Amino acid sequence: MDDLLQKMRSGDRRALARLISLVEDRDPAVRGLLSKVYNEREKIRTIGITGPPGAGKSSLTDQVIAILRGRGQTVAIAAIDPSSPFTGGALLGDRIRMNRHATDEGVFIRSFGTRGSLGGLSHATREVLLLYAAAGFDWAVVETVGVGQTELDIVDVTDTTIVVLVPEAGDTVQTMKAGLTEIADVFVVNKSDREGAQRMKADLELMVHLKDDPEWTVPVLLTQANAGGGVPELLAGIERHREVLAKSPRKAARRAEARKAEFLEIVLEELSERLALSLKEKDLSSVREALASGKTNPYAAALDLLQDEKALLAALRAGQSILKS
Amino acid sequence: MDDLLQKMRSGDRRALARLISLVEDRDPAVRGLLSKVYNEREKIRTIGITGPPGAGKSSLTDQVIAILRGRGQTVAIAAIDPSSPFTGGALLGDRIRMNRHATDEGVFIRSFGTRGSLGGLSHATREVLLLYAAAGFDWAVVETVGVGQTELDIVDVTDTTIVVLVPEAGDTVQTMKAGLTEIADVFVVNKSDREGAQRMKADLELMVHLKDDPEWTVPVLLTQANAGGGVPELLAGIERHREVLAKSPRKAARRAEARKAEFLEIVLEELSERLALSLKEKDLSSVREALASGKTNPYAAALDLLQDEKALLAALRAGQSILKS
């Protein structure tokens, strides 16, 4: 572990990729390492980009990368794949658009699936951002497709959330008002040469003003990501938001909330692994058999265990070796 | 609680709705009740219907309801809403199509959001199905939109999973091969009057035969849900699958697996609530302060707690009153 960490810090991308795989596999051995690098999290600037499929999020990310690289800054991308069997193919296609940066040492791109992790996507993504920070990147971009609830869960993970829309979605502004004004720090109307772009901008600006936030008025920006139009203004907006956030008491409150959530996620994930192990081969094997035969039901068995402190402790002891390894 | 249960059993729909709300709110008081009704789960027949947005799932569900009602059987629907801010409006529209059954006492329809539950959607849905079974419905239909991973998670919850596709999606068959043949017990090509329906059917049948399951060959059925075409054949297919499953050793294995998963989910949810309470006002309040001030990080704090058996037990004791209430 320490060797991998050393290598990652010195710029070894394979070591970074290996550590990310351990995070994805929920390997408990990586938690000690994440504790060591935790305080470096503040050094990286993080952007979240979300929006419906086809809004041009990957093109926008691609252009943002180009500008940051032009300044000599390094960027790591976490592209979150909702891994739907119905949309899988299309997403892979999107990702290919960023490939022109694939040979650039200052850019790191990795896609993530969403299955398996107990704390869900936000938990694993936070851990990947810790690794990106420790690897020394200046910026991280988390790109999520807004097809389910994931784009809402992921919001707390980054400093600035950009919601990308296209003019075609204009008529749905009313229905999605609530959810989107909550999460957007910056709105982008992409493909702004299309009909209805100005109208959508006006609608969004109205929504934003209704929010009436004294600290930050969410800007609504027009872009044409394919040609790079409006992207420098987007980056300027992101940096302004960052400055406002840095001075805000909200930032400290958000950080404290995030730390509490992370703490709970880590403890629960570990307890979950221990219980599963107990159920498999140790103190809870009789519970397993009673469940399989139908002698008890899951609710009765759970309530019994929860009310029996000694049994609970024994069950939670089972996997301690996992932790120490 | 017992009063609500009594009322629900005697056909009081408001009592059912109230209990469902308690499940949605993750109220621990409902767990004792679920233990009581658990063994009635076997009495209800359950169907899962999934597919991409616009495939006609709600129309199909509507037609399935009509046939079952014609036989004098009762049906309860759980319509799972992935609650995306980008698709919210469209889904609501879909649901309206089922409204012709809204005044029928033998039909119960309820939509569910996906946020908040620790065990995710499948956990809450399983609990709702327990309530539907205890309320005496003959059939339950779980309808999910295939926009994320939810449609995969929900599969284990019902006896028979129907994947609905439309001819337009034909060219993506290759990319989704793996995921869909895994989950489908029955394939439906809806809007079968459209070009490409026969071709899609042939493609899917090829996929299905590659699976080479000696017990069950997944049928590929053509429907025109708007006009009811092919729906009786679909129901016949569902019933054949049910008969095959009933005789299969796999069914018992699946049930045992599901019970183990439920047991773990309930225990972890309860432990999660206890830890959150400890963190808020009891044994972990010093941890909360150390996290907020940055004196410790979530990983270090979690590892400390997990290695200190006494502290862990104290923290897990905190919320026991929740359970007993």
Side-chain angles (χ1 to χ4, degrees), chain A residues 122-152:
Chain A
S122 52
H123 184 35
T125 306
R126 266 197 284 258
E127 299 193 337
V128 169
L129 291 181
L130 284 179
L131 293 177
Y132 283 173
F137 289 99
D138 298 307
W139 292 82
V141 180
V142 177
E143 189 196 317
T144 52
V145 180
V147 288
Q149 63 167 117
T150 36
E151 76 278 8
L152 295 178

Side-chain angles (χ1 to χ4, degrees), chain A residues 35 38 85-86 114-115 127 146-147 149 151 153 176 259 270 272 291 297-299 303 306 309 317 323, chain B residues 35 38 84-86 114-115 127 146-147 149 151 153 176 259 270 291 297-299 303 306 309 317 323:
Chain A
S35 176
Y38 192 86
F86 301 108
T114 63
R115 309 205 73 201
E127 299 193 337
V147 288
Q149 63 167 117
E151 76 278 8
D153 290 342
M176 60 200 195
R259 283 200 199 102
E270 179 82 24
S272 169
L291 284 170
N297 73 62
Y299 292 86
L303 297 183
L306 288 163
E309 213 163 69
R317 224 173 248 151
L323 179 69
Chain B
S35 176
Y38 192 85
S84 164
F86 301 109
T114 62
R115 308 205 75 200
E127 298 193 337
V147 288
Q149 63 169 116
E151 76 277 7
D153 290 343
M176 60 200 195
R259 285 201 198 99
E270 178 81 26
L291 285 170
N297 72 62
Y299 291 86
L303 298 182
L306 289 162
E309 215 161 70
R317 226 175 247 152
L323 180 70

Side-chain angles (χ1 to χ4, degrees), chain A:
Chain A
M1 275 297 152
D2 281 337
D3 187 43
L4 272 176
L5 177 58
Q6 205 65 40
K7 279 185 181 160
M8 182 186 74
R9 284 197 204 277
S10 67
D12 183 337
R13 295 293 182 245
R14 272 174 312 174
L16 172 59
R18 177 91 189 87
L19 285 169
I20 290 173
S21 297
L22 293 176
V23 163
E24 273 198 295
D25 298 345
R26 313 306 311 144
D27 189 319
V30 90
R31 284 171 208 153
L33 182 144
L34 292 171
S35 176
K36 274 183 208 158
V37 304
Y38 192 86
N39 289 332
E40 294 164 50
R41 171 68 179 78
E42 300 286 315
K43 292 194 296 188
I44 196 166
R45 283 165 274 187
T46 57
I47 310 169
I49 298 186
T50 189
K57 293 178 297 297
S58 292
S59 302
L60 210 58
T61 304
D62 177 81
Q63 297 288 347
V64 167
I65 295 172
I67 293 181
L68 295 174
R69 292 302 293 141
R71 295 183 189 169
Q73 295 176 322
T74 56
V75 196
I77 316 295
I80 309 297
D81 184 340
S83 57
S84 164
F86 301 108
T87 56
L91 293 180
L92 283 173
D94 274 358
R95 296 288 141 73
I96 290 163
R97 282 176 221 151
M98 283 188 273
N99 267 4
R100 65 164 163 148
H101 301 292
T103 55
D104 179 349
E105 270 292 304
V107 179
F108 184 87
I109 300 173
R110 177 90 178 231
S111 289
F112 300 92
T114 63
R115 309 205 73 201
S117 163
L118 183 77
L121 191 54
S122 52
H123 184 35
T125 306
R126 266 197 284 258
E127 299 193 337
V128 169
L129 291 181
L130 284 179
L131 293 177
Y132 283 173
F137 289 99
D138 298 307
W139 292 82
V141 180
V142 177
E143 189 196 317
T144 52
V145 180
V147 288
Q149 63 167 117
T150 36
E151 76 278 8
L152 295 178
D153 290 342
I154 215 74
V155 164
D156 300 328
V157 168
T158 52
D159 300 323
T160 303
T161 299
I162 299 156
V163 174
V164 187
L165 298 169
V166 277
E168 287 76 21
D171 50 334
T172 62
V173 166
Q174 284 308 315
T175 60
M176 60 200 195
K177 216 155 85 173
L180 291 186
T181 36
E182 279 303 313
I183 67 172
D185 297 311
V186 177
F187 270 120
V188 166
V189 179
N190 192 30
K191 304 185 186 175
S192 62
D193 52 330
R194 295 203 187 163
E195 213 186 301
Q198 288 294 343
R199 169 73 198 278
M200 182 173 226
K201 179 173 153 73
D203 285 350
L204 290 170
E205 278 171 346
L206 187 67
M207 279 168 54
V208 157
H209 284 289
L210 289 173
K211 207 182 163 186
D212 197 23
D213 179 338
E215 283 190 346
W216 176 249
T217 302
V218 175
V220 182
L221 305 172
L222 295 172
T223 60
Q224 282 181 258
N226 280 332
V231 181
E233 291 77 8
L234 171 60
L235 256 169
I238 292 166
E239 289 182 330
R240 262 188 299 126
H241 178 255
R242 193 180 154 76
E243 281 160 28
V244 169
L245 192 67
K247 287 180 218 140
S248 167
R250 267 189 246 178
K251 187 178 174 170
R254 265 165 77 162
R255 280 275 150 83
E257 274 309 307
R259 283 200 199 102
K260 255 171 42 185
E262 283 171 272
F263 168 76
L264 280 177
E265 280 162 1
I266 302 157
V267 172
L268 282 171
E269 188 169 26
E270 179 82 24
L271 294 182
S272 169
E273 281 159 19
R274 292 185 187 186
L275 284 171
L277 193 69
S278 278
L279 202 57
K280 208 171 150 199
E281 56 196 30
K282 296 201 177 157
D283 292 78
L284 296 179
S285 56
S286 62
V287 174
R288 184 189 69 228
E289 280 153 29
L291 284 170
S293 69
K295 210 177 286 172
T296 184
N297 73 62
Y299 292 86
L303 297 183
D304 282 351
L305 179 67
L306 288 163
Q307 271 157 358
D308 182 347
E309 213 163 69
K310 246 174 90 179
L312 182 62
L313 198 61
L316 291 178
R317 224 173 248 151
Q320 271 190 290
S321 53
I322 301 177
L323 179 69
K324 282 171 187 160
S325 72

Side-chain angles (χ1 to χ4, degrees), chain B residues 196-207:
Chain B
Q198 288 294 341
R199 170 69 199 279
M200 182 174 226
K201 180 171 151 74
D203 285 350
L204 290 170
E205 279 172 345
L206 187 67
M207 278 167 57

Side-chain angles (χ1 to χ4, degrees), chain B residues 49-50 54-64 67 162-168 186-198 200-201 204-205 219-238:
Chain B
I49 298 187
T50 189
K57 293 177 297 297
S58 292
S59 303
L60 210 58
T61 303
D62 177 82
Q63 296 289 346
V64 167
I67 293 181
I162 299 158
V163 174
V164 187
L165 298 170
V166 277
E168 286 76 22
V186 176
F187 270 119
V188 166
V189 179
N190 192 29
K191 304 184 184 175
S192 63
D193 51 330
R194 294 201 187 164
E195 212 189 303
Q198 288 294 341
M200 182 174 226
K201 180 171 151 74
L204 290 170
E205 279 172 345
V220 181
L221 305 172
L222 295 172
T223 61
Q224 282 180 258
N226 281 332
V231 181
E233 292 76 7
L234 171 59
L235 256 169
I238 292 166

